Amino acid sequence: MNKAGALQSTSREVQAEARRCQLIEAALELFAERGFEATTIKDICERAGVAPGLIYHYFESKESLLLETVRAQGAGTEFCSALVPDHTKPASTELLEIAKTFYKVHRSKWPLMRIFVREAMGNQALSDRWMELIRGSVAEISRYLDTRVRAGELRPHDTEISARILLHTCGMMFLSGEPESRLKGLCDVLYRGIQAERPKRATKRGGGR
C-alpha cells in the first residue's frame, strides 16, 4: 500500500472509531434517561446523528451496545479503585472518607450507575458485573477493617458484614436523595457498634480511719 492509500485507510479508521464513540455516548445518555427497554435503535442513532442502519456495522444488537457502553465507561473500575481505604488511618475518620468517596464516585458516574441500578436485575451480564464490583469493594473495606481490629481499635467481628452495611446503606441513602452531611451520622453509628471496648479503670477504694 502506498503512502496515500495508508493515510486514507487511517482516516477511515479514525472516522469509524469516532462514529462508534458517538453511538456509545448516545446510548449511555438514553439508557440512563429512559431505560434499556424504552430506548430504541432509532432513538440512539438520532441522538448520535447517524443513519439507523449504521449501528449494526459496529454492534450486533442493542444488548451488545449496552454491554459495550458499560465496558467503555470502565465498567465501574473507578468505583472499586476509589474505595480503597488508607490502612494507616483510624476507622474513626476513615469510614466517613469511604462514605464520602462513595457519594463522589456515584455523582461523577451517575449515568453509568443508573444503568446498573435500572438494568442489572434483568440482564445477567450486567448483574454479574455489578456483583463483581460490590464483592471487590466489600473485600477492600473488609481488609482495612481487619487491620484496625489487629491494631486494637475495633473489636473482633465479621468485617465483611460491616463493609456490606456501610456500602449498602450509602447506596440507599444516595438513591433516596439523602444529603452528604448525613453520612457522618451513619459512620458514627457503625463505628460505635464495632469499636473495641476500652478497659475499665479500677476504682480506688477509700480507706477508713
Side-chain angles (χ1 to χ4, degrees):
M1 183 183 295
N2 57 32
K3 186 175 181 180
L7 289 173
Q8 188 176 14
S9 177
T10 301
S11 178
R12 283 197 297 268
E13 290 173 1
V14 170
Q15 290 176 356
E17 182 59 24
R19 288 196 191 95
R20 185 173 178 278
C21 290
Q22 283 177 292
L23 288 166
I24 289 174
E25 185 64 29
L28 175 67
E29 294 172 359
L30 289 168
F31 290 153
E33 291 171 12
R34 306 177 187 178
F36 178 74
E37 292 297 334
T39 299
T40 66
I41 291 294
K42 182 180 178 182
D43 293 333
I44 296 169
C45 291
E46 285 181 354
R47 180 70 65 93
V50 302
L54 189 63
I55 196 169
Y56 294 107
H57 180 71
Y58 301 97
F59 308 100
E60 293 181 0
S61 62
K62 189 171 73 167
E63 182 169 350
S64 67
L65 174 56
L66 169 65
L67 297 178
E68 182 59 23
T69 298
V70 171
R71 189 202 66 77
Q73 287 291 309
T77 51
E78 182 179 337
F79 178 78
C80 286
S81 60
L83 291 178
V84 177
D86 185 339
H87 288 229
T88 66
K89 294 183 178 179
S92 57
T93 57
E94 190 64 8
L95 288 176
L96 181 57
E97 290 305 311
I98 294 170
K100 286 181 176 179
T101 300
F102 182 98
Y103 261 52
K104 179 181 177 181
V105 173
H106 272 64
R107 279 195 296 264
S108 66
K109 290 287 186 179
W110 176 233
L112 174 64
M113 294 303 173
R114 192 172 186 185
I115 289 173
F116 271 125
V117 171
R118 295 180 69 163
E119 310 300 337
M121 291 295 291
N123 186 295
Q124 190 60 50
L126 277 187
S127 178
D128 290 345
R129 180 54 181 155
W130 181 245
M131 292 309 299
E132 183 183 343
L133 293 176
I134 294 298
R135 284 193 295 268
S137 298
V138 166
E140 287 289 352
I141 297 171
S142 179
R143 280 193 289 271
Y144 163 73
L145 294 175
D146 284 337
T147 65
R148 303 317 303 165
V149 169
R150 291 193 292 272
E153 181 188 7
L154 305 179
R155 63 178 176 80
H157 69 287
D158 190 333
T159 56
E160 182 178 324
I161 290 179
S162 294
R164 288 186 178 278
I165 289 173
L166 179 61
L167 286 183
H168 288 304
T169 308
C170 281
M172 293 302 296
M173 290 176 67
F174 182 86
L175 292 175
S176 61
E178 294 285 350
E180 187 175 313
S181 58
R182 298 203 65 188
L183 292 175
K184 187 177 187 305
L186 163 66
C187 295
D188 286 347
V189 169
L190 178 58
Y191 183 74
R192 285 197 294 270
I194 60 178
Q195 184 180 18
E197 292 186 10
R198 295 180 180 178
K200 294 181 179 179
R201 293 182 179 179
T203 55
K204 294 183 179 180
R205 295 181 179 180
R209 290 186 177 180

